[in-house]
Amino acid sequence: MSTDSLALLRKNAGQDIAALAEEHLKHDLQDTDRDALKSAASKISTHVTIGSLVGLGLGTFLAFRLRRTRMQMFNTLRAKEKPTHVKFADGREEALPDMTPYMRPSTLGDVAAYTFFGFGGLFFGGETGVLTGSASAGRTITRDPESRERIETAFRRFRADVLRKEADSLDTRSGVKEVLGL
């Protein structure tokens, strides 16, 4: 499993692309544009962090509820009178085994429930944070139409530079392993 699977652990792009982006930030944008972009980035980060924590808490809470429900069901089944024999139509009687020990909630089951519900909540909360943070960041960037136009132009130029750099690196590589990055 890659660390990119969880929104909270995703890293930025490579150092060379980050340097290229920094150059575009310096030359193509004004100070207010840079402040708007930094504010938008911090909003996304905040939303992802809060979403991940809420998701982790929700997953843990659901695992706790599941464990408690399983224990209540087990105690109810254990207290009930259970049939011990089955009588067939021909008069024959067969004993039924006691399944109670096999239905008892185990520590391994509890660990699995807390683990899977915790990771599921972390994933769900983090991805929800990415969505809400992106929407909030988008509103921050598009608030001023002139600033939005400058940011879009700088982003288009940045993407073109990244694609040029990628094309140049593909042209210089010779083997299949190098092209695929293996």
Side-chain angles (χ1 to χ4, degrees):
M1 181 170 101
S2 169
T3 57
D4 288 345
S5 298
L6 298 175
L8 187 63
L9 301 177
R10 287 188 190 137
K11 300 216 177 357
N12 295 331
Q15 296 296 331
D16 52 343
I17 294 176
L20 185 62
E22 196 63 40
E23 285 298 315
H24 278 280
L25 278 175
K26 286 179 187 174
H27 299 296
D28 297 344
L29 300 176
Q30 296 177 358
D31 288 336
T32 57
D33 302 336
R34 286 190 284 276
D35 292 341
L37 286 173
K38 287 179 183 175
S39 171
S42 71
K43 282 187 179 191
I44 291 174
S45 176
T46 302
H47 279 251
V48 167
T49 302
I50 291 172
S52 295
L53 291 174
V54 168
L56 184 62
L58 181 64
T60 303
F61 172 72
L62 291 175
F64 174 75
R65 290 283 309 256
L66 178 70
R67 182 191 185 286
R68 191 172 71 192
T69 303
R70 284 177 43 222
M71 195 57 132
Q72 286 174 345
M73 287 177 61
F74 173 74
N75 289 335
T76 301
L77 287 173
R78 189 173 56 177
K80 293 280 183 181
E81 186 176 323
K82 295 179 270 314
T84 57
H85 291 80
V86 173
K87 192 171 195 174
F88 293 97
D90 62 356
R92 179 174 55 111
E93 232 179 73
E94 290 285 327
L96 291 176
D98 184 20
M99 299 300 286
T100 307
Y102 302 113
M103 295 173 60
R104 172 180 290 277
S106 67
T107 304
L108 182 63
D110 293 341
V111 168
Y114 279 102
T115 300
F116 289 123
F117 274 85
F119 279 138
L122 180 67
F123 177 77
F124 181 74
E127 294 303 319
T128 303
V130 167
L131 291 175
T132 60
S134 296
S136 177
R139 285 192 304 272
T140 300
I141 291 172
T142 60
R143 192 173 292 146
D144 180 21
E146 293 172 1
S147 177
R148 182 180 131 228
E149 190 65 37
R150 286 189 299 269
I151 290 171
E152 287 176 350
T153 302
F155 183 67
R156 277 194 305 274
R157 290 178 183 164
F158 167 71
R159 283 185 56 196
D161 284 348
V162 168
L163 290 174
R164 278 188 212 102
K165 190 173 201 162
E166 207 172 299
D168 290 343
S169 73
L170 285 174
D171 287 340
T172 59
R173 293 180 183 165
S174 60
V176 173
K177 285 187 174 182
E178 290 176 351
V179 170
L180 295 177
L182 300 175

